[in-house]
Amino acid sequence: MKKTVTILGIESSCDETGVALVRATRNGQAYAFEVLKNFVYTQIPTHRKHGGVVPEVAAREHAIRLPQLLDELAATPKAKASLKKSVDAIAVTYGPGLITSLLVGLEVGKTISAVWQKPFVPVNHLEGHIYANLLSNNAPRRTPNKNFVFPVLALIVSGAHTELVLMKKHLSYKLLGSTRDDAVGEAFDKTAKLLNLPYPGGPVLSKLAETGNARAIKFPRAMLDQDNLDFSFSGLKTAVAIHMQKHSSKPADVAASFEAAAVETLVEKTARAAARYKPHTALIAGGVAANIPLRKAFQRMMQKNFPEVTVLEPDLKFTTDNAAMIAAAGAVRFFNGYTKPWQKVEVDPRPRL
Ligand code: KG4
Ligand code: ZN
């Protein structure tokens, strides 16, 4: 049975404030999404002077920006009334993330849910990143091939997470492996700091790496000698620090060599997971999925070893934090009955997928 719903999404887990309106259609087990509105207010300029995200400042910014962004969705009383009419449910990130930042989005979402008397759908931020792979700038009918064919193998790479996950159906996750220490995004950010690069470290380091030689320095590829699907990135960051104390390599060479080591580890473990679990779809999700060398290496490895597997990657616009991905995952949850009275929803800074 085909059915269409409209979901209002809210995201405030870290340093991006987001609201979005997504129309989702279910056709059997397939979902198609149309992003009607997607507003992101990035707090990067605010946090840059501190060299990283200051949680208290982030929460205050969310509290100021979220009502403004919601107002942009519908400015006039008439527009608000029509928005209220069209929205079927409110989807909000409840975790993982910074606790006070999450609280702002959650309380705003709960208020709308209570006042409008609309169902509330709590969404795991990482689930949002996974479903971002099904979003496109265009109307769904123009991108019919973005779909999950199960099993789906997902490599999640963000500022706080590095995980390989297997989905046998929608909204179902089996953790295959994860980092034992730092997340890969954290390693990018910390290495960028060693190189005196401004926050946010990941994209700035990657830009610098474009002019460097990735073979200049042989940094360790941690845990590739181990027969598991886990990662470790704290040793890589330490190796960079030690190298910089002993040598005066060009910063661009350090950046490129670091990036090559991080990318190779991620892609190699994904290859092993794909060989073991034989997915029909493979995807990358999370902020670090914006990294171009990672995208290219992931695609190349999959095409070479598993040409029959469909490879997805999120549009760049939906790769870093945004509310459209929360609305999309929220829509799938809503279709499957996962609503929760707003009174019963609590922030969870470290939920499992
Ligand atoms: O998903 P995200 O926006 O926030 C979290 O959920 O954590 O991911 C942020 C992380 C940061 O560590 C940032 O440095 C990294 O993603 N990142 C990148 C790139 N763009 C963002 N890392 C490497 N290359 C990039 N182009
Ligand atoms: Zn994120």
Side-chain angles (χ1 to χ4, degrees), residues 155 164 219-224 230-233 236 258-272 294:
L155 172 67
L164 276 163
F219 286 130
R221 273 71 170 154
M223 300 189 66
L224 287 189
D230 288 342
F231 303 93
S232 164
F233 289 102
L236 175 56
F258 160 83
E259 185 174 54
V263 166
E264 193 184 312
T265 326
L266 292 170
V267 171
E268 172 58 30
K269 287 270 161 137
T270 307
R272 292 183 198 176
L294 174 59

mmCIF file of all heavy atoms in Angstrom, residues 155 164 219-224 230-233 236 258-272 294:
data_model
loop_
_atom_site.group_PDB
_atom_site.id
_atom_site.type_symbol
_atom_site.label_atom_id
_atom_site.label_comp_id
_atom_site.label_asym_id
_atom_site.label_seq_id
_atom_site.Cartn_x
_atom_site.Cartn_y
_atom_site.Cartn_z
ATOM 1 N N LEU A 155 29.238 1.772 6.872
ATOM 2 C CA LEU A 155 30.431 2.259 7.579
ATOM 3 C C LEU A 155 30.071 3.638 8.130
ATOM 4 O O LEU A 155 29.870 4.579 7.358
ATOM 5 C CB LEU A 155 31.618 2.352 6.619
ATOM 6 C CG LEU A 155 32.874 3.036 7.183
ATOM 7 C CD1 LEU A 155 33.507 2.210 8.297
ATOM 8 C CD2 LEU A 155 33.893 3.315 6.085
ATOM 9 N N LEU A 164 31.142 -0.362 12.004
ATOM 10 C CA LEU A 164 30.619 -1.121 10.876
ATOM 11 C C LEU A 164 29.341 -1.789 11.364
ATOM 12 O O LEU A 164 29.336 -2.441 12.419
ATOM 13 C CB LEU A 164 31.629 -2.169 10.412
ATOM 14 C CG LEU A 164 32.696 -1.645 9.448
ATOM 15 C CD1 LEU A 164 33.880 -2.591 9.363
ATOM 16 C CD2 LEU A 164 32.106 -1.397 8.050
ATOM 17 N N PHE A 219 52.633 6.069 8.117
ATOM 18 C CA PHE A 219 51.992 6.012 9.434
ATOM 19 C C PHE A 219 51.335 4.650 9.625
ATOM 20 O O PHE A 219 50.983 3.978 8.647
ATOM 21 C CB PHE A 219 50.954 7.137 9.563
ATOM 22 C CG PHE A 219 51.568 8.506 9.752
ATOM 23 C CD1 PHE A 219 51.172 9.571 8.954
ATOM 24 C CD2 PHE A 219 52.539 8.724 10.726
ATOM 25 C CE1 PHE A 219 51.740 10.837 9.119
ATOM 26 C CE2 PHE A 219 53.106 9.985 10.907
ATOM 27 C CZ PHE A 219 52.710 11.044 10.103
ATOM 28 N N PRO A 220 51.138 4.214 10.894
ATOM 29 C CA PRO A 220 50.612 2.862 11.137
ATOM 30 C C PRO A 220 49.159 2.697 10.676
ATOM 31 O O PRO A 220 48.373 3.635 10.739
ATOM 32 C CB PRO A 220 50.705 2.721 12.662
ATOM 33 C CG PRO A 220 50.743 4.115 13.191
ATOM 34 C CD PRO A 220 51.443 4.933 12.148
ATOM 35 N N ARG A 221 48.873 1.490 10.188
ATOM 36 C CA ARG A 221 47.500 1.097 9.844
ATOM 37 C C ARG A 221 47.056 0.163 10.967
ATOM 38 O O ARG A 221 47.278 -1.055 10.895
ATOM 39 C CB ARG A 221 47.456 0.351 8.508
ATOM 40 C CG ARG A 221 47.323 1.217 7.264
ATOM 41 C CD ARG A 221 48.552 2.015 6.925
ATOM 42 N NE ARG A 221 48.432 2.644 5.598
ATOM 43 C CZ ARG A 221 49.075 3.747 5.237
ATOM 44 N NH1 ARG A 221 49.891 4.363 6.079
ATOM 45 N NH2 ARG A 221 48.926 4.245 4.034
ATOM 46 N N ALA A 222 46.465 0.734 12.006
ATOM 47 C CA ALA A 222 46.207 -0.032 13.235
ATOM 48 C C ALA A 222 45.194 -1.152 13.045
ATOM 49 O O ALA A 222 44.219 -0.988 12.326
ATOM 50 C CB ALA A 222 45.719 0.908 14.329
ATOM 51 N N MET A 223 45.455 -2.252 13.680
ATOM 52 C CA MET A 223 44.559 -3.395 13.812
ATOM 53 C C MET A 223 44.270 -4.156 12.523
ATOM 54 O O MET A 223 43.412 -5.032 12.492
ATOM 55 C CB MET A 223 43.235 -2.977 14.465
ATOM 56 C CG MET A 223 43.481 -2.409 15.847
ATOM 57 S SD MET A 223 42.016 -2.113 16.820
ATOM 58 C CE MET A 223 41.394 -3.746 17.090
ATOM 59 N N LEU A 224 45.010 -3.838 11.448
ATOM 60 C CA LEU A 224 44.794 -4.600 10.218
ATOM 61 C C LEU A 224 45.345 -6.021 10.366
ATOM 62 O O LEU A 224 44.947 -6.927 9.636
ATOM 63 C CB LEU A 224 45.442 -3.894 9.014
ATOM 64 C CG LEU A 224 44.729 -2.626 8.525
ATOM 65 C CD1 LEU A 224 45.322 -2.155 7.210
ATOM 66 C CD2 LEU A 224 43.229 -2.839 8.382
ATOM 67 N N ASP A 230 37.156 -4.315 14.219
ATOM 68 C CA ASP A 230 37.330 -3.135 15.069
ATOM 69 C C ASP A 230 38.399 -2.199 14.510
ATOM 70 O O ASP A 230 39.215 -2.585 13.666
ATOM 71 C CB ASP A 230 37.703 -3.547 16.495
ATOM 72 C CG ASP A 230 36.514 -4.159 17.217
ATOM 73 O OD1 ASP A 230 35.369 -3.950 16.764
ATOM 74 O OD2 ASP A 230 36.724 -4.848 18.224
ATOM 75 N N PHE A 231 38.374 -0.986 15.024
ATOM 76 C CA PHE A 231 39.323 0.051 14.604
ATOM 77 C C PHE A 231 40.035 0.628 15.824
ATOM 78 O O PHE A 231 39.593 0.469 16.963
ATOM 79 C CB PHE A 231 38.587 1.208 13.915
ATOM 80 C CG PHE A 231 37.755 0.813 12.738
ATOM 81 C CD1 PHE A 231 36.401 0.518 12.893
ATOM 82 C CD2 PHE A 231 38.305 0.755 11.472
ATOM 83 C CE1 PHE A 231 35.618 0.164 11.800
ATOM 84 C CE2 PHE A 231 37.529 0.405 10.373
ATOM 85 C CZ PHE A 231 36.189 0.104 10.548
ATOM 86 N N SER A 232 41.129 1.325 15.571
ATOM 87 C CA SER A 232 41.794 2.106 16.612
ATOM 88 C C SER A 232 42.463 3.284 15.920
ATOM 89 O O SER A 232 43.166 3.111 14.924
ATOM 90 C CB SER A 232 42.845 1.248 17.319
ATOM 91 O OG SER A 232 43.723 2.085 18.044
ATOM 92 N N PHE A 233 42.222 4.492 16.428
ATOM 93 C CA PHE A 233 42.806 5.676 15.786
ATOM 94 C C PHE A 233 43.661 6.528 16.702
ATOM 95 O O PHE A 233 44.287 7.481 16.251
ATOM 96 C CB PHE A 233 41.711 6.532 15.135
ATOM 97 C CG PHE A 233 41.132 5.889 13.910
ATOM 98 C CD1 PHE A 233 39.901 5.242 13.947
ATOM 99 C CD2 PHE A 233 41.828 5.894 12.708
ATOM 100 C CE1 PHE A 233 39.375 4.620 12.830
ATOM 101 C CE2 PHE A 233 41.318 5.286 11.578
ATOM 102 C CZ PHE A 233 40.086 4.643 11.638
ATOM 103 N N LEU A 236 47.394 6.373 15.759
ATOM 104 C CA LEU A 236 47.725 7.110 14.537
ATOM 105 C C LEU A 236 47.995 8.579 14.865
ATOM 106 O O LEU A 236 48.987 9.164 14.411
ATOM 107 C CB LEU A 236 46.568 6.973 13.531
ATOM 108 C CG LEU A 236 46.663 7.768 12.230
ATOM 109 C CD1 LEU A 236 47.939 7.460 11.472
ATOM 110 C CD2 LEU A 236 45.445 7.475 11.338
ATOM 111 N N PHE A 258 48.703 11.079 6.839
ATOM 112 C CA PHE A 258 47.731 10.732 7.880
ATOM 113 C C PHE A 258 46.421 10.288 7.247
ATOM 114 O O PHE A 258 45.856 9.243 7.579
ATOM 115 C CB PHE A 258 47.467 11.940 8.806
ATOM 116 C CG PHE A 258 46.178 11.835 9.560
ATOM 117 C CD1 PHE A 258 46.114 11.103 10.745
ATOM 118 C CD2 PHE A 258 45.008 12.416 9.069
ATOM 119 C CE1 PHE A 258 44.905 10.971 11.423
ATOM 120 C CE2 PHE A 258 43.802 12.278 9.730
ATOM 121 C CZ PHE A 258 43.750 11.553 10.916
ATOM 122 N N GLU A 259 45.946 11.102 6.309
ATOM 123 C CA GLU A 259 44.661 10.812 5.663
ATOM 124 C C GLU A 259 44.691 9.451 4.957
ATOM 125 O O GLU A 259 43.738 8.670 5.049
ATOM 126 C CB GLU A 259 44.336 11.929 4.665
ATOM 127 C CG GLU A 259 42.980 11.804 4.015
ATOM 128 C CD GLU A 259 42.646 13.024 3.153
ATOM 129 O OE1 GLU A 259 43.450 13.377 2.265
ATOM 130 O OE2 GLU A 259 41.595 13.631 3.362
ATOM 131 N N ALA A 260 45.815 9.171 4.292
ATOM 132 C CA ALA A 260 45.941 7.892 3.575
ATOM 133 C C ALA A 260 45.856 6.720 4.549
ATOM 134 O O ALA A 260 45.202 5.706 4.264
ATOM 135 C CB ALA A 260 47.258 7.858 2.811
ATOM 136 N N ALA A 261 46.510 6.865 5.719
ATOM 137 C CA ALA A 261 46.488 5.781 6.712
ATOM 138 C C ALA A 261 45.077 5.573 7.250
ATOM 139 O O ALA A 261 44.597 4.444 7.373
ATOM 140 C CB ALA A 261 47.456 6.099 7.854
ATOM 141 N N ALA A 262 44.384 6.681 7.560
ATOM 142 C CA ALA A 262 43.026 6.582 8.102
ATOM 143 C C ALA A 262 42.091 5.952 7.074
ATOM 144 O O ALA A 262 41.339 5.014 7.381
ATOM 145 C CB ALA A 262 42.524 7.968 8.500
ATOM 146 N N VAL A 263 42.160 6.431 5.833
ATOM 147 C CA VAL A 263 41.273 5.937 4.776
ATOM 148 C C VAL A 263 41.532 4.450 4.506
ATOM 149 O O VAL A 263 40.609 3.646 4.392
ATOM 150 C CB VAL A 263 41.449 6.775 3.487
ATOM 151 C CG1 VAL A 263 40.809 6.091 2.288
ATOM 152 C CG2 VAL A 263 40.863 8.174 3.680
ATOM 153 N N GLU A 264 42.808 4.085 4.429
ATOM 154 C CA GLU A 264 43.137 2.687 4.117
ATOM 155 C C GLU A 264 42.584 1.735 5.180
ATOM 156 O O GLU A 264 42.042 0.671 4.858
ATOM 157 C CB GLU A 264 44.657 2.526 3.988
ATOM 158 C CG GLU A 264 45.038 1.185 3.369
ATOM 159 C CD GLU A 264 46.550 0.983 3.318
ATOM 160 O OE1 GLU A 264 47.265 1.898 2.865
ATOM 161 O OE2 GLU A 264 47.003 -0.102 3.743
ATOM 162 N N THR A 265 42.709 2.122 6.453
ATOM 163 C CA THR A 265 42.194 1.263 7.519
ATOM 164 C C THR A 265 40.681 1.104 7.414
ATOM 165 O O THR A 265 40.150 -0.006 7.517
ATOM 166 C CB THR A 265 42.520 1.882 8.902
ATOM 167 O OG1 THR A 265 43.765 2.558 8.832
ATOM 168 C CG2 THR A 265 42.572 0.853 9.966
ATOM 169 N N LEU A 266 39.986 2.214 7.195
ATOM 170 C CA LEU A 266 38.523 2.161 7.100
ATOM 171 C C LEU A 266 38.078 1.269 5.947
ATOM 172 O O LEU A 266 37.185 0.426 6.092
ATOM 173 C CB LEU A 266 37.960 3.581 6.882
ATOM 174 C CG LEU A 266 38.089 4.565 8.052
ATOM 175 C CD1 LEU A 266 37.711 5.975 7.606
ATOM 176 C CD2 LEU A 266 37.220 4.133 9.230
ATOM 177 N N VAL A 267 38.723 1.466 4.791
ATOM 178 C CA VAL A 267 38.300 0.749 3.585
ATOM 179 C C VAL A 267 38.664 -0.734 3.671
ATOM 180 O O VAL A 267 37.882 -1.606 3.272
ATOM 181 C CB VAL A 267 38.904 1.424 2.327
ATOM 182 C CG1 VAL A 267 38.682 0.583 1.088
ATOM 183 C CG2 VAL A 267 38.290 2.812 2.148
ATOM 184 N N GLU A 268 39.830 -1.042 4.231
ATOM 185 C CA GLU A 268 40.249 -2.439 4.342
ATOM 186 C C GLU A 268 39.308 -3.224 5.270
ATOM 187 O O GLU A 268 38.897 -4.337 4.956
ATOM 188 C CB GLU A 268 41.704 -2.497 4.838
ATOM 189 C CG GLU A 268 42.226 -3.875 5.179
ATOM 190 C CD GLU A 268 42.165 -4.884 4.030
ATOM 191 O OE1 GLU A 268 42.260 -4.471 2.854
ATOM 192 O OE2 GLU A 268 42.001 -6.112 4.318
ATOM 193 N N LYS A 269 38.941 -2.624 6.402
ATOM 194 C CA LYS A 269 38.027 -3.333 7.312
ATOM 195 C C LYS A 269 36.626 -3.472 6.697
ATOM 196 O O LYS A 269 35.939 -4.465 6.913
ATOM 197 C CB LYS A 269 37.958 -2.627 8.669
ATOM 198 C CG LYS A 269 39.228 -2.811 9.513
ATOM 199 C CD LYS A 269 39.169 -4.033 10.420
ATOM 200 C CE LYS A 269 40.538 -4.466 10.894
ATOM 201 N NZ LYS A 269 40.621 -4.835 12.311
ATOM 202 N N THR A 270 36.233 -2.482 5.898
ATOM 203 C CA THR A 270 34.945 -2.584 5.207
ATOM 204 C C THR A 270 34.988 -3.733 4.194
ATOM 205 O O THR A 270 34.022 -4.491 4.051
ATOM 206 C CB THR A 270 34.603 -1.267 4.478
ATOM 207 O OG1 THR A 270 34.698 -0.186 5.407
ATOM 208 C CG2 THR A 270 33.202 -1.298 3.906
ATOM 209 N N ALA A 271 36.124 -3.883 3.510
ATOM 210 C CA ALA A 271 36.277 -4.967 2.529
ATOM 211 C C ALA A 271 36.132 -6.327 3.224
ATOM 212 O O ALA A 271 35.458 -7.232 2.727
ATOM 213 C CB ALA A 271 37.636 -4.861 1.840
ATOM 214 N N ARG A 272 36.753 -6.456 4.386
ATOM 215 C CA ARG A 272 36.656 -7.726 5.122
ATOM 216 C C ARG A 272 35.227 -7.989 5.578
ATOM 217 O O ARG A 272 34.748 -9.116 5.548
ATOM 218 C CB ARG A 272 37.590 -7.697 6.338
ATOM 219 C CG ARG A 272 39.059 -7.705 5.920
ATOM 220 C CD ARG A 272 39.943 -7.757 7.132
ATOM 221 N NE ARG A 272 41.297 -7.339 6.788
ATOM 222 C CZ ARG A 272 42.281 -7.201 7.669
ATOM 223 N NH1 ARG A 272 42.057 -7.449 8.950
ATOM 224 N NH2 ARG A 272 43.474 -6.828 7.281
ATOM 225 N N LEU A 294 38.241 9.314 0.931
ATOM 226 C CA LEU A 294 37.534 8.156 1.502
ATOM 227 C C LEU A 294 36.452 7.674 0.535
ATOM 228 O O LEU A 294 36.324 6.479 0.266
ATOM 229 C CB LEU A 294 36.922 8.506 2.867
ATOM 230 C CG LEU A 294 36.029 7.409 3.481
ATOM 231 C CD1 LEU A 294 36.795 6.106 3.693
ATOM 232 C CD2 LEU A 294 35.404 7.875 4.795
#
